[in-house]
Amino acid sequence: AGLSPGQRVVTVQKGPLYRVRGSHVTLWCKVSGYQGPAEQNFQWSIYLPSAPEREVQIVSTVDPSFPYAIYAQRVHSRGIYVERVQGDAVLLHITELQDRDAGEYECHTPNTDERYFGSYSAKTNLSVIADTLSASMAHQVLTRAEGEAVELTCEVSKSTTQHTHLSVGWYRLQGAGENHAEEVLTLSKDFVLRPGPSYMQRFLVGDVRLNKVGNATYKLFIRGVELSDQGQLYCEAAEWIEDPDETWKDISRKQTGRTSLAVVSQGRDLSVDIAAVKSSLSEGETLQLNCVVGAQKSSSRHFQVLWFLNSVEVARVDPHGVLIWEAEYKERAKLGQLRAFKQNNTVYILTIYEVGLKDNGMYHCSVSEVKIPGDFHSIQTNLSSGIQVNVQPVERRMHLSVSTSTPRVVPGEALILLCKVQGATNPVSVQWWHLPPQHPGLWVLVATMDRDGTLTLGSTYEDNRTRGSLRLEKNNSGAFTLVIPNTLDEGDGGWYRCKATEWSRSQSWTEEGETAVTVSSMAGLGLQATLRSRIATVRHGQSFELNCQVSANYTLEEVPVSVGWFFQPSPPTGPYHELVWVLPSGTVAWRAAQPRFQGKAQLTKATTSFGLRIHNAVAAEEGTYQCEVNVWRRNTLTLGPPVATTRSNAVGIKVVLPESKLRVATKESSLEFAGGADTAIECRIMFAQNNSQFAITWYLLPPLADATPLQIVRADYSGILEYGAEFSSPAQQSRFLSQRVSSNVFWLRILSADPRDQGRYYCLVEEWLWLVDSWYKLGEGASGRTTLEFKLPEHELHLEKTNHSISAREGEEVTLHCLLQGARQPTTHLSVTWFWGEDSSHIRTLLTVRRDGSIEYPRESLTGRLHLRHPTAGDFSLTLRSVEEGDAGVYRCQVQEWQQQSEGKNWTLQALAHSGYTQLTTIPPGNT
């Protein structure tokens, strides 16, 4: 439906299909709508349930190399083949279905069209189910007179989970073989009784019936047997399943053993006797049985003779003397171990050379008379009495012993197994079997050596890419050596059984022996790595070496080994970094995380010892080191995941810098200055390493007792300046300058010093040295304190010094008063500074109005909220807008009076005064 003319369509037998294990299975596939030759090619593949996405190629009509290894042997031996029904249709034959044949089958037709158009493959599912059908019937030798009744019972059962039907039929054999089986009566899968042509009339009148008793018992009843009924009767059961295309398929057939029915004609003369030359024998002797026919005028009559052992037919001789063996005796007859012949018309002989225990039992011969040779209907039949033949076992001369020279190996090593056979005087065949530890009770065939030396490998061991080329060899002393070159894993351990069979014509003797081997996981065989270093502390620029010693309970030189080196800096910054791997091939693989190691590291190897030598150590290589060892099984073709891994202990390496010999002058001193003058603080280095560079940081300790040092400015070893937070404004940076006066003397210059600059000053010197790859700080030292004191002028200013407490609601504004009392000289200029602190012992500058009227805000964030009003002379009150919670604290103002001595001269400080403290408390909005 929906296909265009000329569109290729591949059709395969509709699934899912259910077939029983061991049966002969066919799947059809055809193609239509194709272009090109009338004979199309077909390729069959399977997708196994264990890997439904992976195609496994089975067989092709065009490419002999198409099958994968798992199917190659079966295709080569025609266990699997393709039958071409016509040019565009084929049948896939699987002669003996196996469990591993279950899966999704794909039939593909290679393109012969001018363009791709249509479908080129089709799929169907095949499930393999157990063969649960059984059919059995007791072996009997029955003799009935004409007109007597006979009843035979057949037990048939199945336990298939799928919905199936049974058919049960009875058949009769008379003449030369199974091809002449005649149907007696069958109960079909559709529950319909169907008689054979010869039994139709008797079935219709009720003389031939089939009765089912219970679930599994089927009885054939013949009332009034006739001479034509004699022969070999058996029951055949078939199990049927309905396929998705609504056709019924017999998936299993079972035949029972045969019951011999002899029908004696009333009033006929025929006697049969059986005799043995010797009925009690030992293994290896010859048994001869004679069947003697007694009948009047025997020379002109025609007889057929059947030989039976324990009611099972062995052979028959027809009236012409033609011998026919039953299937299970044909091979022995070909080997000359059996002989049956017609000596004359009344004497028939069966001979068994070198009898064995399987020849024990009750022997009969049955004689049937026919009118003419070739007639299937006998005139009369008679059965001899039975003769019991007893075969006594003889002492077996063959002995074997099984051993191994490799009782414990690791994956990749070879297994060598020895089966020593002694005392055998005839050809010997040997089978080796394996009982894996993970499947106790399930023996797997490894290899077979036939009597002629032909070697056959078990299916699990056919692929030499996994375990190598297995060898089974025989030496002159009768020892059979099995060599498995390359064990895979622990599953190759367990028990190995040697089964030796000595063959002598019709006899065989079998001896068995076992030996155990262990394939130990390499992960459980003590793989350890120990890391050592002769020195744990190295000087900067010195070399050091780490040694990774590896040990295991197997020979490391014979397995692939890789070693990796790991490093974690000190202090740790995260997990260990991979440095480098030495792979089993000898390849060195550096990792990108720590590139500096590659140019200065040396890797060594000596048997089970691996070394890492670091040249010219630097501080960045201080930390902890580890080694990791990976091991693969021997003879592995590709390096997959390792079978064993171990990580060593951690070894710490400390890299020590050169000792600092820095000494800084620590003598205390003091300086007194007048307002407006420039001054300088000295920092002197007494001693240091040659080639050292210095970073100088200047600090101020304000006059308060518990004041925190304030960083003024830092000049690093390259001369770059960094000012502290309190001195970061442009005005402050222009007043405080760090200068290097000589190689070991540094000054802090303070321009236009004023009383705010009072305090104790000191320098902190850092000694820096360039070592190999970077600058390193060797040490530091602080100078003594230099106290800078302000020389107070004789003239005084008067400010209101009364302490106040006020409160303000957050969001509103508040004014803090600073009132100058008394008169001042008209030629002077005033500067004002406001201070704030959480308490009176920790205060800092809010703003400064200099004598020239410029305003300096150390805290830029307050610029928009601070307003210094000057309504009248001497009033320097500060208004704080939009009060915030963090504005609470103490406030204070300082007023300085400056005077220029004459035109062009410096300004000098004439007087200064501090106000009292004002305590400000903030009130949250809405709080009453």
Side-chain angles (χ1 to χ4, degrees):
L3 297 177
S4 302
Q7 181 172 345
R8 176 183 291 256
V9 178
V10 176
T11 309
V12 74
Q13 189 168 345
K14 187 177 181 181
L17 302 174
Y18 296 91
R19 299 294 186 264
V20 300
R21 183 189 311 120
S23 64
H24 186 136
V25 173
T26 61
L27 299 174
W28 60 259
C29 179
K30 59 186 178 181
V31 60
S32 61
Y34 56 86
Q35 300 174 3
E39 184 172 283
Q40 294 286 297
N41 285 309
F42 294 82
Q43 295 175 336
W44 286 89
S45 301
I46 188 174
Y47 297 84
L48 300 174
S50 59
E53 302 299 325
R54 187 178 67 185
E55 177 187 8
V56 180
Q57 299 175 180
I58 301 176
V59 65
S60 169
T61 61
V62 64
D63 184 4
S65 65
F66 183 77
Y68 281 7
I70 189 174
Y71 286 103
Q73 180 61 34
R74 294 171 69 188
V75 172
H76 179 73
S77 63
R78 288 190 64 79
I80 298 177
Y81 63 93
V82 177
E83 175 191 0
R84 187 178 291 280
V85 180
Q86 56 190 46
D88 54 8
V90 296
L91 282 176
L92 172 67
H93 288 260
I94 303 176
T95 59
E96 186 175 349
L97 191 64
Q98 303 177 11
D99 286 331
R100 60 176 177 167
D101 295 329
E104 185 178 39
Y105 284 76
E106 180 179 42
C107 174
H108 175 76
T109 60
N111 183 37
T112 59
D113 308 332
E114 294 181 358
R115 62 191 180 98
Y116 282 91
F117 188 43
S119 65
Y120 291 81
S121 65
K123 296 181 179 179
T124 189
N125 274 292
L126 174 64
S127 297
V128 181
I129 60 177
D131 187 359
T132 63
L133 178 65
S134 68
S136 62
M137 181 177 69
H139 295 299
Q140 301 178 77
V141 177
L142 302 177
T143 302
R144 295 289 187 270
E146 285 181 285
E148 291 183 344
V150 66
E151 184 178 70
L152 301 176
T153 300
C154 181
E155 300 289 339
V156 179
S157 66
K158 67 179 180 71
S159 59
T160 310
T161 57
Q162 286 72 28
H163 177 72
T164 58
H165 289 186
L166 288 177
S167 65
V168 179
W170 295 87
Y171 297 85
R172 184 178 68 88
L173 287 169
Q174 182 175 0
E178 295 184 358
N179 291 334
H180 299 91
E182 180 183 15
E183 183 180 15
V184 179
L185 185 60
T186 297
L187 176 63
S188 74
K189 67 179 184 301
D190 304 316
F191 315 110
V192 176
L193 285 171
R194 184 182 67 243
S198 302
Y199 290 86
M200 176 64 76
Q201 186 60 38
R202 297 165 69 186
F203 169 74
L204 293 175
V205 299
D207 288 344
V208 177
R209 301 195 303 271
L210 191 154
N211 299 321
K212 183 178 180 183
V213 181
N215 291 328
T217 303
Y218 299 80
K219 293 189 175 184
L220 174 68
F221 179 78
I222 302 176
R223 178 167 44 202
V225 295
E226 301 175 359
L227 292 176
S228 61
D229 293 329
Q230 70 180 358
Q232 303 290 311
L233 293 169
Y234 66 90
C235 168
E236 180 178 274
E239 185 174 7
W240 300 76
I241 191 167
E242 186 177 19
D243 284 343
D245 61 3
E246 299 184 353
T247 62
W248 286 86
K249 170 65 180 173
D250 55 328
I251 59 175
S252 180
R253 286 185 176 271
K254 296 291 175 64
Q255 287 186 7
T256 66
R258 297 168 186 171
T259 291
S260 178
L261 175 62
V263 180
V264 180
S265 174
Q266 297 294 340
R268 306 277 182 174
D269 66 316
L270 183 64
S271 65
V272 180
D273 292 314
I274 189 171
V277 176
K278 184 180 180 182
S279 62
S280 182
L281 309 96
S282 297
E283 285 183 286
E285 293 185 331
T286 300
L287 169 66
Q288 179 177 317
L289 297 171
N290 297 331
C291 183
V292 180
V293 180
Q296 296 179 1
K297 299 179 181 181
S298 59
S299 60
S300 60
R301 297 164 71 172
H302 306 285
F303 303 109
Q304 176 176 266
V305 176
L306 282 74
W307 291 98
F308 296 92
L309 169 58
N310 297 327
S311 302
V312 177
E313 183 178 340
V314 176
R316 65 176 62 196
V317 180
D318 72 6
H320 291 298
V322 176
L323 173 64
I324 301 172
W325 292 100
E326 281 300 297
E328 61 183 289
Y329 293 94
K330 287 181 179 178
E331 182 65 25
R332 294 178 66 186
K334 288 181 181 178
L335 296 173
Q337 300 171 4
L338 303 177
R339 186 186 180 204
F341 64 96
K342 175 182 177 180
Q343 183 171 314
N344 55 51
N345 209 33
T346 59
V347 179
Y348 298 82
I349 298 175
L350 171 66
T351 304
I352 303 177
Y353 301 98
E354 295 188 2
V355 294
L357 298 180
K358 59 187 174 183
D359 298 317
N360 270 317
M362 184 70 70
Y363 287 82
H364 293 85
C365 66
S366 171
V367 179
S368 299
E369 183 180 4
V370 295
K371 290 181 180 180
I372 57 174
D375 189 355
F376 293 145
H377 300 288
S378 61
I379 300 172
Q380 59 177 323
T381 299
N382 204 352
L383 183 70
S384 73
S385 59
I387 184 170
Q388 180 69 39
V389 173
N390 296 311
V391 180
Q392 301 297 323
V394 298
E395 182 182 358
R396 297 177 180 175
R397 300 177 295 277
M398 182 180 67
H399 302 281
L400 68 79
S401 60
V402 181
S403 61
T404 177
S405 59
T406 55
R408 181 178 292 274
V409 298
V410 296
E413 292 184 334
L415 282 183
I416 303 175
L417 305 162
L418 180 66
C419 182
K420 192 170 185 179
V421 180
Q422 295 177 315
T425 58
N426 297 292
V428 175
S429 64
V430 169
Q431 288 182 336
W432 278 100
W433 296 80
H434 176 218
L435 182 63
Q438 68 271 32
H439 299 296
L442 182 62
W443 288 89
V444 178
L445 178 64
V446 179
T448 299
M449 180 175 282
D450 291 335
R451 286 172 280 179
D452 59 1
T454 302
L455 175 64
T456 305
L457 299 180
S459 59
T460 306
Y461 296 84
E462 289 177 344
D463 189 355
N464 58 17
R465 293 175 299 179
T466 54
R467 295 178 176 84
S469 298
L470 268 69
R471 302 195 305 276
L472 178 53
E473 301 169 345
K474 177 186 177 183
N475 61 22
N476 295 332
S477 63
F480 296 82
T481 303
L482 174 66
V483 179
I484 302 176
N486 182 14
T487 51
L488 290 181
D489 49 33
E490 295 93 323
D492 282 342
W495 288 93
Y496 285 83
R497 173 184 291 171
C498 174
K499 185 177 181 180
T501 303
E502 181 181 5
W503 301 87
S504 175
R505 300 189 70 179
S506 64
Q507 299 183 85
S508 64
W509 295 270
T510 298
E511 292 286 341
E512 297 180 354
E514 298 173 358
T515 186
V517 298
T518 301
V519 181
S520 302
S521 167
M522 299 177 75
L525 287 181
L527 180 65
Q528 292 184 335
T530 304
L531 188 61
R532 297 186 179 92
S533 175
R534 292 183 179 179
I535 53 176
T537 301
V538 298
R539 295 190 307 274
H540 196 282
Q542 185 183 5
S543 299
F544 66 91
E545 185 170 1
L546 300 165
N547 181 269
C548 183
Q549 188 69 38
V550 185
S551 62
N553 296 338
Y554 44 88
T555 306
L556 285 166
E557 295 90 331
E558 298 178 359
V559 297
V561 178
S562 71
V563 175
W565 291 94
F566 293 79
F567 168 66
Q568 186 180 61
S570 179
T573 58
Y576 276 81
H577 301 291
E578 287 186 74
L579 295 181
V580 63
W581 280 94
V582 181
L583 304 180
S585 61
T587 301
V588 176
W590 287 94
R591 298 299 187 251
Q594 298 287 333
R596 69 175 179 278
F597 281 92
Q598 183 171 356
K600 58 189 308 184
Q602 179 183 355
L603 297 164
T604 61
K605 177 185 177 183
T607 315
T608 58
S609 178
F610 301 85
L612 173 66
R613 183 177 180 83
I614 305 295
H615 297 277
N616 297 322
V618 297
E621 285 142 16
E622 178 178 316
T624 54
Y625 292 79
Q626 282 185 317
C627 65
E628 181 176 297
V629 180
N630 293 330
V631 175
W632 287 263
R633 66 180 181 85
R634 187 189 318 206
N635 299 327
T636 185
L637 296 179
T638 57
L639 290 181
V643 295
T645 297
T646 187
R647 183 76 76 95
S648 75
N649 56 296
V651 169
I653 297 294
K654 184 175 180 59
V655 179
V656 180
L657 298 174
E659 183 180 355
S660 174
K661 298 181 179 180
L662 175 69
R663 284 193 294 117
V664 182
T666 57
K667 183 178 180 182
E668 301 283 334
S669 62
S670 63
L671 289 175
E672 190 178 71
F673 71 96
D678 296 343
T679 188
I681 311 296
E682 182 180 89
C683 178
R684 182 178 294 272
I685 298 171
M686 306 301 294
F687 188 83
Q689 294 270 12
N690 292 333
N691 303 322
S692 293
Q693 296 294 327
F694 306 103
I696 308 296
T697 306
W698 291 95
Y699 290 93
L700 166 63
L701 278 169
L704 301 173
D706 56 350
T708 302
L710 302 177
Q711 179 182 326
I712 302 170
V713 62
R714 181 179 189 271
D716 68 10
Y717 54 79
S718 60
I720 297 175
L721 299 179
E722 179 185 353
Y723 280 85
E726 300 292 334
F727 297 84
S728 60
S729 66
Q732 293 284 67
Q733 291 184 23
S734 65
R735 294 180 57 241
F736 290 85
L737 306 176
S738 178
Q739 293 182 343
R740 184 168 189 168
V741 180
S742 65
S743 62
N744 65 325
V745 176
F746 297 83
W747 279 1
L748 174 66
R749 295 191 62 197
I750 305 174
L751 305 181
S752 300
D754 63 33
R756 292 177 303 164
D757 302 328
Q758 292 184 103
R760 292 177 294 164
Y761 290 80
Y762 67 94
C763 68
L764 181 67
V765 181
E766 301 171 14
E767 183 180 16
W768 291 80
L769 191 64
W770 176 265
L771 297 173
V772 182
D773 64 338
S774 183
W775 286 96
Y776 290 92
K777 179 181 174 180
L778 302 184
E780 63 182 24
S783 69
R785 272 55 169 173
T786 297
T787 303
L788 189 61
E789 295 179 330
F790 175 64
K791 181 179 180 182
L792 290 175
E794 297 178 358
H795 178 62
E796 292 186 10
L797 290 176
H798 299 282
L799 284 177
E800 183 182 355
K801 297 185 178 294
T802 306
N803 295 331
H804 300 279
S805 294
I806 61 174
S807 60
R809 192 175 302 277
E810 294 177 19
E812 298 178 353
E813 68 176 37
V814 65
T815 298
L816 309 170
H817 297 286
C818 178
L819 299 176
L820 180 62
Q821 298 173 344
R824 64 180 180 87
Q825 300 179 31
T827 59
T828 62
H829 286 190
L830 298 177
S831 68
V832 179
T833 301
W834 274 94
F835 300 92
W836 169 87
E838 293 182 356
D839 56 54
S840 59
S841 61
H842 296 85
I843 62 174
R844 57 185 177 179
T845 303
L846 282 179
L847 65 80
T848 298
V849 180
R850 297 196 173 277
R851 60 180 179 271
D852 59 1
S854 62
I855 302 178
E856 178 184 340
Y857 293 95
R859 297 174 64 187
E860 296 291 338
S861 60
L862 296 177
T863 303
R865 294 201 299 122
L866 298 179
H867 176 64
L868 185 65
R869 69 178 186 174
H870 193 42
T872 60
D875 187 352
F876 301 100
S877 297
L878 176 66
T879 299
L880 182 60
R881 297 168 179 167
S882 298
V883 172
E884 299 176 357
E885 181 183 0
D887 296 332
V890 294
Y891 292 80
R892 186 185 192 187
C893 72
Q894 180 192 75
V895 178
Q896 300 175 0
E897 185 179 28
W898 298 79
Q899 187 174 33
Q900 191 176 25
Q901 299 300 322
S902 61
E903 187 69 26
K905 298 294 185 179
N906 290 335
W907 289 82
T908 58
L909 182 65
Q910 298 299 310
L912 65 82
H914 291 91
S915 70
Y917 292 100
T918 299
Q919 177 73 45
L920 174 63
T921 304
T922 61
I923 303 173
N927 192 325
T928 59

